[in-house]
Amino acid sequence: MARILSIFLLLLLAACNQIDRAIGNDDSKRKDATNYSYACLDSSLAGNRTGRTIERATNVIRDLAVSKKTITDSLETTYGEAFHRDMLAEGGMKLIGDAALDTRLNTALHRLLEQRTDPSGIRYVAYAVEDTVVNAFTFGGRIYITRGMLNRVAQDEALLYAIIGHEVGHSEAGHIKATIQDMALSEKLFGNNGTTFFELKRLLTASFNQKNELEADYYGINLTNRLGFDLCTVVTFWKEMASRENPYNKVEDFFRTHPFSDARAECLAGHIRTNFGKDCGALNKGASLPQVTR
Ligand SMILES: [Zn+2]
């Protein structure tokens, strides 16, 4: 178990340039009044017929091999606890351990959790981790925000809430349960050598994982909106991220876990406009922000 969790974390971090990763599943527990549109992803391969076919086939195979009914909220929480314990014990991550910061993160987390319309029984805890990369990730109710992300967020509470809400969204929408199914399946197929399976999955599912990322974005935005925050700050964040990315490239997009930040900014601005009637401004690919090359 320790080993598979470590492998999983490595893959998770490798795939995450801004926000965490979760493997595809459309078995959403989410029930809220807003419209979740994925049409904004259609310019990438994520929205095409092949992507959807692979997604459906993978879901069927996964459910045949490891029934999703066996992955309960309680089991997901247990996996989260084991992951947290193993990662700390093996030095895979280091917590910042600042009590005031932990209180700030967990206050935000619990305010967001109270806004859920159909809450799961998953137990959540948020942590600040030592890492300069702008990132956040989650597993089994444990939510990790890096120092790099905290520096970026600074006093922008709306952005912090949207990011934590995004991580909650991955669990509430069943993405993490699908990941646990995949972990169980990989152990069945390959024993401790599950890496091969994960690598294969990563390639096969890269495009439709973008849908999961967007679903988690929408979920987080909806919770944040119910608390009365200005949501446009989140659009600005993704525009800024877009200014640091390479120009749009369809082939590269297929192999990415996450939507290009531009598409993400556009999808979120559309969601905010359609559902909450607020216009976050022209979406001209972050033109007002300085271009950063890497
Ligand atoms: Zn994510």
Side-chain angles (χ1 to χ4, degrees), residues 19-22 136 138 166-167 170 212-213 216-217 258 264:
I19 297 285
D20 67 299
R21 161 179 189 268
T138 187
H166 170 101
E167 306 305 337
H170 276 313
N212 282 2
E213 289 308 315
D217 276 344
H258 293 81
R264 219 162 166 169

Side-chain angles (χ1 to χ4, degrees), residues 30-48:
R30 158 190 66 74
K31 282 179 191 158
D32 59 40
T34 65
N35 170 43
Y36 281 37
S37 170
Y38 300 97
C40 49
L41 287 180
D42 274 349
S43 59
S44 75
L45 292 173
N48 78 3

